[in-house]
Amino acid sequence: MDKKDKLLTIGQFAAMHGINKKTLMWYDEIGLFKPAIIHPENGYRCYNYYQSPILETILLLRELDVSVNEIKDFMKNRSAGSLKCLLEEKIADLDMQINHLQAVRTTLCTHHQNMATLLTMDLSEISIIEKKVRCLVTVDVGKDTSFEQEVELITAETEKYHLGRLHKASYGSMISVASLQEGNYDDYSKLFIEIPFLPYQAGLHNTPDGKYLRAFHKGSWDGIPKRYQEIFDYAKEHNLILHGFSYEMGINENVIDRMEDYIVQIEIPVLW
């Protein structure tokens, strides 16, 4: 007799598949997965080796949150074609979940980096850093754009890109270097949204790849002009050419209660 034809007790079969035998008893009771035989004398359930792939398929589908009724329907009409269609649907669902988790992880890493920066930063320091190209969603604003209008614009873009929750992205504002050099420190022209894993699309703003000048400002907006003047003095002293936009982003909103404790990160592309 082939060893694969031998019967296994419910306890042995359950242990082999890493489940509780009560699960097998429940599957039998609801008609989802029945034992190979039930001893007429003692009512013990027994299974054989050839039932393992079927049970593993059921367990896989349950792990993918397929309902019992869906699995029962599949089991009644089990075929390569029906399993292929079912798995394609679940793979698509998993891809969405993976993208969501990757986005959440990126957000967490950003917050973690911000907190690490807060704990070690020297607010007076101006430094040069390397940054890769980023794709930003932007909305145009001007001096006459009210706060309510800005909220509406941002909300429309988050809905457009199916963002769902605000914490899934980073937000900031953009002001051109030309405006800053002319002393127009309130001439913000765009708000930006950085969405993790957003693929390139026409209409998105690409930040330059390369070196950036980074500085920080703490406190109210009234001190921003002085900080920008310090930035321009630093660039002149080190023969740096600032170009494009200054990208401003708050890095500590989630750990402060007072506006005077607010810290904005300033990053501007530079040419040597």
Side-chain angles (χ1 to χ4, degrees):
M1 181 178 179
D2 193 316
K3 291 182 180 180
K4 293 182 180 180
D5 291 323
K6 290 185 176 181
L7 295 175
L8 300 170
T9 67
I10 187 171
Q12 291 172 324
F13 198 67
M16 186 169 71
H17 291 277
I19 60 175
N20 192 297
K21 65 181 183 180
K22 289 183 179 180
T23 300
L24 289 174
M25 294 170 66
W26 180 58
Y27 284 171
D28 181 18
E29 291 169 3
I30 64 175
L32 178 59
F33 182 74
K34 292 191 169 295
I37 67 167
I38 298 179
H39 284 294
E41 299 170 358
N42 53 28
Y44 289 171
R45 296 171 173 88
C46 290
Y47 300 81
N48 62 42
Y49 172 86
Y50 298 102
Q51 291 180 284
S52 286
I54 299 173
L55 178 60
E56 281 299 322
T57 300
I58 292 173
L59 295 176
L60 171 62
L61 295 177
R62 289 295 291 148
E63 191 172 339
L64 295 173
D65 291 328
V66 181
S67 71
V68 169
N69 287 334
E70 285 182 284
I71 298 176
K72 288 173 75 173
D73 289 340
F74 163 72
M75 295 298 291
K76 291 175 184 176
N77 302 284
R78 194 164 76 253
S79 68
S82 61
L83 182 57
K84 175 178 176 291
C85 291
L86 184 57
L87 293 179
E88 285 175 349
E89 178 184 332
K90 295 307 170 183
I91 288 170
D93 290 342
L94 276 177
D95 286 341
M96 291 181 63
Q97 293 177 39
I98 290 170
N99 288 337
H100 168 72
L101 290 174
Q102 287 177 327
V104 170
R105 187 183 189 283
T106 297
T107 300
L108 292 177
C109 287
T110 299
H111 287 318
H112 179 269
Q113 181 59 52
N114 288 343
M115 295 307 102
T117 299
L118 287 172
L119 293 171
T120 59
M121 70 191 307
D122 176 356
L123 286 172
S124 65
E125 182 182 13
I126 297 175
S127 58
I128 303 298
I129 61 169
E130 288 280 347
K131 292 185 75 73
K132 295 182 179 180
V133 173
R134 298 174 294 161
C135 291
L136 305 179
V137 178
T138 61
V139 295
D140 295 329
V141 296
K143 294 180 180 179
D144 297 329
T145 306
S146 68
F147 175 73
E148 290 76 12
Q149 290 172 322
E150 290 181 357
V151 170
E152 290 177 1
L153 291 169
I154 290 294
T155 301
E157 289 303 306
T158 57
E159 291 177 351
K160 177 180 176 181
Y161 290 93
H162 308 290
L163 192 57
R165 300 290 298 277
L166 293 179
H167 71 253
K168 295 179 181 176
S170 300
Y171 301 83
S173 54
M174 296 165 55
I175 182 169
S176 71
V177 170
S179 290
L180 292 170
Q181 290 172 333
E182 293 173 2
N184 298 320
Y185 299 106
D186 60 347
D187 192 20
Y188 291 89
S189 57
K190 296 179 185 293
L191 302 177
F192 71 79
I193 310 170
E194 184 176 2
I195 303 174
F197 304 104
L198 181 66
Y200 173 77
Q201 300 176 35
L204 295 182
H205 174 86
N206 284 340
T207 63
D209 182 27
K211 298 186 182 300
Y212 283 68
L213 184 152
R214 173 184 282 176
F216 299 93
H217 169 69
K218 181 178 180 180
S220 69
W221 184 87
D222 293 341
I224 282 281
K226 180 176 180 296
R227 189 54 169 156
Y228 271 116
Q229 190 55 58
E230 292 170 351
I231 289 171
F232 291 137
D233 291 343
Y234 179 93
K236 182 177 180 180
E237 180 183 349
H238 293 81
N239 297 315
L240 305 175
I241 300 174
L242 306 180
H243 68 101
F245 290 90
S246 173
Y247 301 89
E248 297 181 5
M249 185 173 67
I251 65 169
N252 67 335
E253 299 104 319
N254 51 359
V255 293
I256 62 169
D257 295 316
R258 305 183 309 163
M259 186 60 196
E260 51 264 40
D261 294 325
Y262 183 81
I263 298 176
V264 61
Q265 174 183 275
I266 300 168
E267 295 180 341
I268 308 174
V270 298
L271 298 174
W272 291 91

